[in-house]
Amino acid sequence: MATIFHGLADDPARARSASDIAEHIRRAIASGDLAPNERLVEQDLARDLNTNRSVIRTAFAHLEQQRLLVREPNRGVRVRTYTALEAVEILETRAALEGLVARCAAKRIDGEGERALRGIIGEMRACRDSGDLLAYSQLNTRLHRTVLEIANHETATMLLSSLQSQAVRYQFRTVLQPGRIAQSLGEHEAIVQAIVAHNEDDAERTMRAHIGSVAQTVLAIGGKDLTALKAI
Amino acid sequence: MATIFHGLADDPARARSASDIAEHIRRAIASGDLAPNERLVEQDLARDLNTNRSVIRTAFAHLEQQRLLVREPNRGVRVRTYTALEAVEILETRAALEGLVARCAAKRIDGEGERALRGIIGEMRACRDSGDLLAYSQLNTRLHRTVLEIANHETATMLLSSLQSQAVRYQFRTVLQPGRIAQSLGEHEAIVQAIVAHNEDDAERTMRAHIGSVAQTVLAIGGKDLTALKAI
DNA sequence: GTTGCCAACATTGTCGACAATCATGGCGAC
DNA sequence: GTCGCCATGATTGTCGACAATGTTGGCAAC
């Protein structure tokens, strides 16, 4: 049997911790090296990754809790399959949670946070003008993370990161079609405007509208080939 | 050293699986037998619960992901402490998620679901008249669970159960003060009415108002002695 | 040809032993 | 008397071996 981790088993000599292994497997799932429903055998992974079964087992335990793997008793674990329905569910849930976060951010925003948000919006506008989609996508991630920091809502942050880790099962390709960038920027501007104005209702509403818009785009592009939850 | 699980180590001969052990520890935390910040030693638990360290370790891995335990590298795990701030966060997050769930329930409700919800409301009214607080509290749990089933939203259900498992850290005492039961019933009636009318906006709004009301009650009663997230 | 049983195999679950790491307390130097 | 170092002990992290379990394939009976 060929190794499961083709080129991924780099530096076979180095020992790795359980969380390293878990991250490794997560990437393998994200990149498609591990197919949905594929079975993972503890002994094989231990050999391929130059470690032992205990480490693999604890890594599995973590990934199992993050719903990336499913365990069948006495039969080991499989890569969890995802459905289009589930993609929609994840986006709906993100909308609810990010709405809450935006609301908290609007409540707590201060001068420093306002400067940070306005700075990112400024850079986004530059990207729109230069047409740099990749940079825009990164700014997008940064904007959402900044809102999370301003909100300072540990519980929501944790749940959102859990959703994010499930989203690795989608291929990350940029969803930014021509035209979408302008719409996305407009939505982001509305969100920031509401937050800096301490307008909690508008903050939640615009954030939810934004993620709803992303969902529409994803579904329109994706169909069965669901791509890119990343660029929100 | 005395055993950590006083009377809890019932039937010391029976072997338990990792998930049994995890449930055991969860109860111990909920009941207060394990104090916040208390350190858990793998060897001791393995002895007290008549099992071995491997089982304890996998149980720890699960509880750690549920944020009931925190691990310090090479120092083992502790019972996670919770703060009043976190209690508020959990309620806020529940409100956001249950609002989403209520919305989905309003979208999908059918004749069978309507009968179930109306049945529960009927029983609740009987409890109000008879003053049976305990039965009311159980109906309350059943109502929320039924709404979850109608909504059929796996992702939100999972996140909510994760929040619930964190809430075990609060003492379960009934929060139903005299007078609160009438208010609670009114809120539940409004939620059910919105759901069966397929009114998604109202469903979300009333559910969020309801949980907000619970939060107020909990905070008013609790203060530092936060009790009873259960009776919502 | 089909069905049912049995044996061999593959894989997970369990367990104890050893190694690595961190905290604690004593001892001596200053 | 206080500070810093070192030895000791306690606990987690790692590892390999064995037991339990489920699966697969072959063989025989019908």
Short mmCIF file of all heavy atoms in Angstrom, two decimals, chain C residues 4-24:
data_model
loop_
_atom_site.label_atom_id
_atom_site.label_comp_id
_atom_site.label_asym_id
_atom_site.label_seq_id
_atom_site.Cartn_x
_atom_site.Cartn_y
_atom_site.Cartn_z
P DG C 4 -28.16 -19.32 5.12
OP1 DG C 4 -29.50 -19.45 5.70
OP2 DG C 4 -27.61 -18.00 4.78
"O5'" DG C 4 -27.14 -20.06 6.09
"C5'" DG C 4 -27.23 -21.47 6.24
"C4'" DG C 4 -25.94 -22.01 6.83
"O4'" DG C 4 -24.90 -21.97 5.81
"C3'" DG C 4 -25.40 -21.20 8.02
"O3'" DG C 4 -25.01 -22.08 9.04
"C2'" DG C 4 -24.20 -20.46 7.44
"C1'" DG C 4 -23.72 -21.43 6.38
N9 DG C 4 -22.96 -20.83 5.29
C8 DG C 4 -23.29 -19.70 4.57
N7 DG C 4 -22.42 -19.41 3.66
C5 DG C 4 -21.44 -20.40 3.77
C6 DG C 4 -20.25 -20.60 3.04
O6 DG C 4 -19.80 -19.93 2.12
N1 DG C 4 -19.56 -21.73 3.48
C2 DG C 4 -19.98 -22.55 4.50
N2 DG C 4 -19.19 -23.58 4.79
N3 DG C 4 -21.09 -22.37 5.20
C4 DG C 4 -21.77 -21.29 4.78
P DC C 5 -24.73 -21.55 10.52
OP1 DC C 5 -25.67 -22.25 11.40
OP2 DC C 5 -24.67 -20.07 10.46
"O5'" DC C 5 -23.27 -22.09 10.83
"C5'" DC C 5 -22.96 -23.46 10.54
"C4'" DC C 5 -21.47 -23.59 10.26
"O4'" DC C 5 -21.14 -22.85 9.06
"C3'" DC C 5 -20.56 -23.03 11.36
"O3'" DC C 5 -19.69 -24.07 11.79
"C2'" DC C 5 -19.81 -21.88 10.70
"C1'" DC C 5 -19.86 -22.27 9.23
N1 DC C 5 -19.76 -21.13 8.29
C2 DC C 5 -18.69 -21.08 7.39
O2 DC C 5 -17.84 -21.97 7.41
N3 DC C 5 -18.60 -20.04 6.52
C4 DC C 5 -19.55 -19.09 6.53
N4 DC C 5 -19.43 -18.09 5.65
C5 DC C 5 -20.64 -19.13 7.44
C6 DC C 5 -20.72 -20.15 8.29
P DC C 6 -18.93 -23.95 13.21
OP1 DC C 6 -19.09 -25.24 13.91
OP2 DC C 6 -19.34 -22.69 13.85
"O5'" DC C 6 -17.41 -23.82 12.77
"C5'" DC C 6 -16.93 -24.57 11.65
"C4'" DC C 6 -15.62 -23.99 11.17
"O4'" DC C 6 -15.87 -22.92 10.23
"C3'" DC C 6 -14.75 -23.38 12.29
"O3'" DC C 6 -13.42 -23.79 12.12
"C2'" DC C 6 -14.92 -21.88 12.08
"C1'" DC C 6 -15.05 -21.81 10.56
N1 DC C 6 -15.74 -20.58 10.07
C2 DC C 6 -15.22 -19.92 8.95
O2 DC C 6 -14.22 -20.37 8.38
N3 DC C 6 -15.85 -18.81 8.51
C4 DC C 6 -16.93 -18.35 9.14
N4 DC C 6 -17.52 -17.25 8.66
C5 DC C 6 -17.46 -19.00 10.29
C6 DC C 6 -16.83 -20.11 10.71
P DA C 7 -12.39 -23.75 13.35
OP1 DA C 7 -12.20 -25.13 13.85
OP2 DA C 7 -12.84 -22.69 14.27
"O5'" DA C 7 -11.05 -23.29 12.64
"C5'" DA C 7 -10.79 -23.71 11.31
"C4'" DA C 7 -10.08 -22.61 10.55
"O4'" DA C 7 -11.03 -21.56 10.23
"C3'" DA C 7 -8.96 -21.92 11.33
"O3'" DA C 7 -7.85 -21.73 10.47
"C2'" DA C 7 -9.57 -20.60 11.75
"C1'" DA C 7 -10.48 -20.30 10.57
N9 DA C 7 -11.58 -19.39 10.84
C8 DA C 7 -12.45 -19.44 11.90
N7 DA C 7 -13.34 -18.48 11.87
C5 DA C 7 -13.04 -17.76 10.73
C6 DA C 7 -13.63 -16.63 10.14
N6 DA C 7 -14.69 -16.00 10.65
N1 DA C 7 -13.09 -16.18 8.99
C2 DA C 7 -12.02 -16.82 8.48
N3 DA C 7 -11.39 -17.90 8.94
C4 DA C 7 -11.96 -18.31 10.08
P DA C 8 -6.36 -21.66 11.02
OP1 DA C 8 -5.57 -22.77 10.45
OP2 DA C 8 -6.45 -21.48 12.48
"O5'" DA C 8 -5.84 -20.30 10.36
"C5'" DA C 8 -5.94 -20.14 8.95
"C4'" DA C 8 -6.02 -18.65 8.64
"O4'" DA C 8 -7.30 -18.13 9.09
"C3'" DA C 8 -4.94 -17.80 9.31
"O3'" DA C 8 -4.22 -17.11 8.29
"C2'" DA C 8 -5.71 -16.85 10.23
"C1'" DA C 8 -7.10 -16.82 9.60
N9 DA C 8 -8.18 -16.54 10.53
C8 DA C 8 -8.45 -17.18 11.72
N7 DA C 8 -9.51 -16.72 12.35
C5 DA C 8 -9.96 -15.71 11.52
C6 DA C 8 -11.05 -14.83 11.62
N6 DA C 8 -11.91 -14.83 12.63
N1 DA C 8 -11.24 -13.94 10.61
C2 DA C 8 -10.36 -13.95 9.58
N3 DA C 8 -9.30 -14.73 9.38
C4 DA C 8 -9.16 -15.59 10.39
P DC C 9 -2.97 -16.18 8.68
OP1 DC C 9 -1.94 -16.34 7.64
OP2 DC C 9 -2.65 -16.41 10.10
"O5'" DC C 9 -3.61 -14.73 8.53
"C5'" DC C 9 -4.43 -14.45 7.40
"C4'" DC C 9 -5.09 -13.08 7.59
"O4'" DC C 9 -6.17 -13.19 8.54
"C3'" DC C 9 -4.15 -12.00 8.13
"O3'" DC C 9 -4.22 -10.88 7.27
"C2'" DC C 9 -4.70 -11.67 9.52
"C1'" DC C 9 -6.18 -12.03 9.35
N1 DC C 9 -6.88 -12.38 10.60
C2 DC C 9 -8.05 -11.71 10.95
O2 DC C 9 -8.49 -10.84 10.19
N3 DC C 9 -8.69 -12.04 12.11
C4 DC C 9 -8.20 -12.99 12.89
N4 DC C 9 -8.87 -13.28 14.00
C5 DC C 9 -7.01 -13.68 12.56
C6 DC C 9 -6.37 -13.35 11.42
P DA C 10 -3.06 -9.76 7.36
OP1 DA C 10 -2.49 -9.56 6.01
OP2 DA C 10 -2.17 -10.06 8.50
"O5'" DA C 10 -3.94 -8.48 7.71
"C5'" DA C 10 -5.19 -8.29 7.05
"C4'" DA C 10 -6.05 -7.31 7.84
"O4'" DA C 10 -6.61 -7.98 9.00
"C3'" DA C 10 -5.28 -6.10 8.36
"O3'" DA C 10 -6.06 -4.95 8.10
"C2'" DA C 10 -5.14 -6.37 9.85
"C1'" DA C 10 -6.40 -7.17 10.14
N9 DA C 10 -6.31 -8.07 11.29
C8 DA C 10 -5.33 -8.97 11.55
N7 DA C 10 -5.52 -9.66 12.66
C5 DA C 10 -6.73 -9.17 13.14
C6 DA C 10 -7.48 -9.49 14.27
N6 DA C 10 -7.13 -10.42 15.16
N1 DA C 10 -8.64 -8.81 14.46
C2 DA C 10 -8.99 -7.88 13.57
N3 DA C 10 -8.36 -7.50 12.46
C4 DA C 10 -7.22 -8.19 12.30
P DT C 11 -5.39 -3.50 8.23
OP1 DT C 11 -5.95 -2.66 7.16
OP2 DT C 11 -3.93 -3.66 8.42
"O5'" DT C 11 -6.00 -3.00 9.61
"C5'" DT C 11 -7.42 -2.91 9.74
"C4'" DT C 11 -7.79 -2.72 11.19
"O4'" DT C 11 -7.54 -3.94 11.92
"C3'" DT C 11 -6.97 -1.65 11.94
"O3'" DT C 11 -7.82 -0.53 12.16
"C2'" DT C 11 -6.54 -2.32 13.23
"C1'" DT C 11 -7.38 -3.58 13.27
N1 DT C 11 -6.73 -4.71 13.98
C2 DT C 11 -7.39 -5.26 15.04
O2 DT C 11 -8.49 -4.88 15.42
N3 DT C 11 -6.73 -6.30 15.65
C4 DT C 11 -5.50 -6.82 15.30
O4 DT C 11 -5.01 -7.75 15.91
C5 DT C 11 -4.87 -6.18 14.18
C7 DT C 11 -3.53 -6.65 13.72
C6 DT C 11 -5.51 -5.17 13.58
P DT C 12 -7.26 0.72 13.06
OP1 DT C 12 -7.80 1.93 12.42
OP2 DT C 12 -5.82 0.58 13.29
"O5'" DT C 12 -8.02 0.50 14.44
"C5'" DT C 12 -9.43 0.33 14.44
"C4'" DT C 12 -9.91 -0.24 15.76
"O4'" DT C 12 -9.19 -1.46 16.06
"C3'" DT C 12 -9.72 0.67 16.96
"O3'" DT C 12 -10.90 0.66 17.74
"C2'" DT C 12 -8.54 0.06 17.69
"C1'" DT C 12 -8.73 -1.41 17.38
N1 DT C 12 -7.49 -2.23 17.47
C2 DT C 12 -7.45 -3.29 18.35
O2 DT C 12 -8.37 -3.60 19.06
N3 DT C 12 -6.25 -3.99 18.33
C4 DT C 12 -5.14 -3.74 17.56
O4 DT C 12 -4.14 -4.43 17.64
C5 DT C 12 -5.26 -2.60 16.67
C7 DT C 12 -4.12 -2.24 15.80
C6 DT C 12 -6.41 -1.92 16.67
P DG C 13 -11.02 1.64 18.99
OP1 DG C 13 -12.44 2.02 19.12
OP2 DG C 13 -9.99 2.68 18.86
"O5'" DG C 13 -10.64 0.72 20.24
"C5'" DG C 13 -11.57 -0.28 20.63
"C4'" DG C 13 -11.06 -1.01 21.87
"O4'" DG C 13 -9.85 -1.72 21.54
"C3'" DG C 13 -10.71 -0.10 23.06
"O3'" DG C 13 -11.22 -0.70 24.25
"C2'" DG C 13 -9.20 -0.05 23.03
"C1'" DG C 13 -8.85 -1.44 22.51
N9 DG C 13 -7.55 -1.53 21.84
C8 DG C 13 -7.09 -0.76 20.80
N7 DG C 13 -5.89 -1.07 20.41
C5 DG C 13 -5.53 -2.12 21.23
C6 DG C 13 -4.34 -2.88 21.28
O6 DG C 13 -3.33 -2.77 20.58
N1 DG C 13 -4.39 -3.85 22.28
C2 DG C 13 -5.46 -4.06 23.12
N2 DG C 13 -5.31 -5.04 24.02
N3 DG C 13 -6.57 -3.36 23.09
C4 DG C 13 -6.54 -2.41 22.12
P DT C 14 -11.03 0.01 25.66
OP1 DT C 14 -12.19 -0.35 26.49
OP2 DT C 14 -10.68 1.41 25.42
"O5'" DT C 14 -9.77 -0.75 26.26
"C5'" DT C 14 -9.81 -2.16 26.38
"C4'" DT C 14 -8.54 -2.69 27.03
"O4'" DT C 14 -7.43 -2.60 26.10
"C3'" DT C 14 -8.09 -1.93 28.29
"O3'" DT C 14 -7.92 -2.90 29.31
"C2'" DT C 14 -6.78 -1.26 27.89
"C1'" DT C 14 -6.27 -2.20 26.79
N1 DT C 14 -5.37 -1.60 25.79
C2 DT C 14 -4.15 -2.18 25.57
O2 DT C 14 -3.77 -3.16 26.16
N3 DT C 14 -3.39 -1.55 24.61
C4 DT C 14 -3.72 -0.43 23.87
O4 DT C 14 -2.96 0.03 23.04
C5 DT C 14 -5.02 0.12 24.16
C7 DT C 14 -5.49 1.32 23.42
C6 DT C 14 -5.77 -0.49 25.09
P DC C 15 -7.81 -2.46 30.83
OP1 DC C 15 -8.48 -3.49 31.64
OP2 DC C 15 -8.21 -1.04 30.93
"O5'" DC C 15 -6.24 -2.58 31.10
"C5'" DC C 15 -5.60 -3.82 30.78
"C4'" DC C 15 -4.11 -3.62 30.70
"O4'" DC C 15 -3.76 -2.92 29.50
"C3'" DC C 15 -3.50 -2.80 31.84
"O3'" DC C 15 -2.84 -3.68 32.73
"C2'" DC C 15 -2.52 -1.85 31.13
"C1'" DC C 15 -2.48 -2.39 29.70
N1 DC C 15 -2.24 -1.35 28.67
C2 DC C 15 -1.06 -1.39 27.91
O2 DC C 15 -0.25 -2.28 28.13
N3 DC C 15 -0.87 -0.43 26.97
C4 DC C 15 -1.79 0.51 26.77
N4 DC C 15 -1.56 1.42 25.83
C5 DC C 15 -3.00 0.56 27.53
C6 DC C 15 -3.18 -0.38 28.47
P DG C 16 -2.41 -3.21 34.15
OP1 DG C 16 -2.76 -4.27 35.11
OP2 DG C 16 -2.89 -1.82 34.36
"O5'" DG C 16 -0.83 -3.18 34.01
"C5'" DG C 16 -0.14 -4.32 33.54
"C4'" DG C 16 1.22 -3.94 33.02
"O4'" DG C 16 1.07 -3.04 31.87
"C3'" DG C 16 2.11 -3.18 34.03
"O3'" DG C 16 3.41 -3.76 34.03
"C2'" DG C 16 2.12 -1.75 33.51
"C1'" DG C 16 1.97 -1.96 32.00
N9 DG C 16 1.41 -0.83 31.27
C8 DG C 16 0.27 -0.13 31.60
N7 DG C 16 0.01 0.83 30.76
C5 DG C 16 1.03 0.77 29.84
C6 DG C 16 1.28 1.57 28.70
O6 DG C 16 0.63 2.52 28.26
N1 DG C 16 2.45 1.17 28.03
C2 DG C 16 3.25 0.13 28.42
N2 DG C 16 4.32 -0.11 27.67
N3 DG C 16 3.03 -0.62 29.48
C4 DG C 16 1.91 -0.25 30.14
P DA C 17 4.52 -3.32 35.07
OP1 DA C 17 5.09 -4.54 35.69
OP2 DA C 17 3.94 -2.26 35.92
"O5'" DA C 17 5.62 -2.68 34.14
"C5'" DA C 17 6.09 -3.41 33.01
"C4'" DA C 17 7.03 -2.55 32.18
"O4'" DA C 17 6.25 -1.56 31.46
"C3'" DA C 17 8.06 -1.77 33.00
"O3'" DA C 17 9.31 -1.78 32.32
"C2'" DA C 17 7.47 -0.37 33.05
"C1'" DA C 17 6.78 -0.27 31.70
N9 DA C 17 5.68 0.68 31.67
C8 DA C 17 4.64 0.78 32.55
N7 DA C 17 3.79 1.74 32.26
C5 DA C 17 4.31 2.31 31.11
C6 DA C 17 3.88 3.36 30.29
N6 DA C 17 2.77 4.08 30.54
N1 DA C 17 4.62 3.68 29.21
C2 DA C 17 5.73 2.96 28.97
N3 DA C 17 6.24 1.94 29.66
C4 DA C 17 5.46 1.66 30.72
P DC C 18 10.64 -1.41 33.13
OP1 DC C 18 11.60 -2.50 32.89
OP2 DC C 18 10.26 -0.99 34.50
"O5'" DC C 18 11.16 -0.12 32.34
"C5'" DC C 18 11.35 -0.22 30.93
"C4'" DC C 18 11.31 1.18 30.32
"O4'" DC C 18 9.99 1.74 30.48
"C3'" DC C 18 12.29 2.18 30.94
"O3'" DC C 18 13.11 2.71 29.90
"C2'" DC C 18 11.38 3.24 31.57
"C1'" DC C 18 10.14 3.13 30.71
N1 DC C 18 8.89 3.62 31.35
C2 DC C 18 8.19 4.68 30.76
O2 DC C 18 8.62 5.16 29.70
N3 DC C 18 7.05 5.12 31.35
C4 DC C 18 6.62 4.57 32.48
N4 DC C 18 5.50 5.05 33.02
C5 DC C 18 7.33 3.51 33.10
C6 DC C 18 8.45 3.06 32.51
P DA C 19 14.31 3.72 30.28
OP1 DA C 19 15.50 3.27 29.51
OP2 DA C 19 14.38 3.84 31.76
"O5'" DA C 19 13.82 5.09 29.67
"C5'" DA C 19 13.29 5.14 28.35
"C4'" DA C 19 12.80 6.54 28.02
"O4'" DA C 19 11.54 6.79 28.69
"C3'" DA C 19 13.74 7.66 28.47
"O3'" DA C 19 13.76 8.66 27.46
"C2'" DA C 19 13.13 8.16 29.76
"C1'" DA C 19 11.64 7.94 29.52
N9 DA C 19 10.87 7.66 30.72
C8 DA C 19 11.12 6.71 31.67
N7 DA C 19 10.24 6.69 32.64
C5 DA C 19 9.35 7.68 32.30
C6 DA C 19 8.17 8.15 32.93
N6 DA C 19 7.69 7.66 34.07
N1 DA C 19 7.51 9.16 32.33
C2 DA C 19 7.99 9.65 31.19
N3 DA C 19 9.08 9.29 30.50
C4 DA C 19 9.72 8.28 31.13
P DA C 20 14.70 9.94 27.60
OP1 DA C 20 15.23 10.26 26.27
OP2 DA C 20 15.60 9.75 28.76
"O5'" DA C 20 13.63 11.07 27.96
"C5'" DA C 20 12.48 11.21 27.14
"C4'" DA C 20 11.63 12.38 27.64
"O4'" DA C 20 10.89 11.97 28.81
"C3'" DA C 20 12.42 13.62 28.03
"O3'" DA C 20 11.72 14.76 27.55
"C2'" DA C 20 12.43 13.56 29.55
"C1'" DA C 20 11.10 12.88 29.86
N9 DA C 20 11.08 12.11 31.10
C8 DA C 20 12.01 11.22 31.53
N7 DA C 20 11.72 10.65 32.68
C5 DA C 20 10.49 11.22 33.02
C6 DA C 20 9.64 11.04 34.12
N6 DA C 20 9.91 10.20 35.12
N1 DA C 20 8.51 11.76 34.15
C2 DA C 20 8.24 12.60 33.13
N3 DA C 20 8.97 12.85 32.05
C4 DA C 20 10.08 12.12 32.04
P DT C 21 12.33 16.25 27.75
OP1 DT C 21 12.02 17.00 26.51
OP2 DT C 21 13.73 16.12 28.23
"O5'" DT C 21 11.45 16.86 28.91
"C5'" DT C 21 10.03 16.77 28.83
"C4'" DT C 21 9.43 17.18 30.15
"O4'" DT C 21 9.62 16.13 31.12
"C3'" DT C 21 10.07 18.43 30.76
"O3'" DT C 21 9.07 19.44 30.84
"C2'" DT C 21 10.55 17.99 32.14
"C1'" DT C 21 9.74 16.73 32.38
N1 DT C 21 10.37 15.73 33.28
C2 DT C 21 9.67 15.31 34.38
O2 DT C 21 8.57 15.71 34.67
N3 DT C 21 10.34 14.39 35.16
C4 DT C 21 11.60 13.86 34.93
O4 DT C 21 12.09 13.04 35.70
C5 DT C 21 12.27 14.35 33.76
C7 DT C 21 13.64 13.85 33.43
C6 DT C 21 11.63 15.26 33.00
P DC C 22 9.47 20.95 31.17
OP1 DC C 22 8.74 21.82 30.25
OP2 DC C 22 10.93 21.04 31.31
"O5'" DC C 22 8.82 21.10 32.63
"C5'" DC C 22 7.50 20.62 32.85
"C4'" DC C 22 7.26 20.41 34.33
"O4'" DC C 22 8.02 19.27 34.79
"C3'" DC C 22 7.70 21.60 35.20
"O3'" DC C 22 6.62 21.96 36.05
"C2'" DC C 22 8.87 21.05 36.00
"C1'" DC C 22 8.54 19.57 36.06
N1 DC C 22 9.72 18.69 36.29
C2 DC C 22 9.68 17.74 37.33
O2 DC C 22 8.68 17.66 38.03
N3 DC C 22 10.77 16.95 37.53
C4 DC C 22 11.83 17.06 36.75
N4 DC C 22 12.86 16.24 36.99
C5 DC C 22 11.90 18.02 35.69
C6 DC C 22 10.82 18.80 35.50
P DA C 23 6.66 23.35 36.80
OP1 DA C 23 5.37 24.02 36.58
OP2 DA C 23 7.92 24.04 36.46
"O5'" DA C 23 6.72 22.89 38.32
"C5'" DA C 23 5.54 22.33 38.89
"C4'" DA C 23 5.90 21.61 40.18
"O4'" DA C 23 7.01 20.74 39.94
"C3'" DA C 23 6.30 22.52 41.34
"O3'" DA C 23 5.53 22.18 42.47
"C2'" DA C 23 7.79 22.25 41.53
"C1'" DA C 23 7.94 20.84 41.00
N9 DA C 23 9.26 20.54 40.45
C8 DA C 23 9.85 21.12 39.37
N7 DA C 23 11.04 20.63 39.09
C5 DA C 23 11.25 19.66 40.06
C6 DA C 23 12.31 18.78 40.32
N6 DA C 23 13.43 18.74 39.57
N1 DA C 23 12.19 17.93 41.36
C2 DA C 23 11.07 17.98 42.10
N3 DA C 23 10.00 18.76 41.96
C4 DA C 23 10.15 19.58 40.91
P DT C 24 5.57 23.09 43.77
OP1 DT C 24 4.20 23.15 44.27
OP2 DT C 24 6.31 24.30 43.43
"O5'" DT C 24 6.44 22.24 44.81
"C5'" DT C 24 6.36 20.83 44.79
"C4'" DT C 24 7.43 20.25 45.71
"O4'" DT C 24 8.65 19.99 44.98
"C3'" DT C 24 7.83 21.17 46.87
"O3'" DT C 24 7.78 20.43 48.07
"C2'" DT C 24 9.24 21.62 46.53
"C1'" DT C 24 9.75 20.45 45.71
N1 DT C 24 10.81 20.81 44.73
C2 DT C 24 11.95 20.04 44.67
O2 DT C 24 12.15 19.09 45.39
N3 DT C 24 12.86 20.44 43.72
C4 DT C 24 12.74 21.51 42.84
O4 DT C 24 13.61 21.77 42.03
C5 DT C 24 11.52 22.27 42.96
C7 DT C 24 11.29 23.43 42.08
C6 DT C 24 10.62 21.89 43.88
#
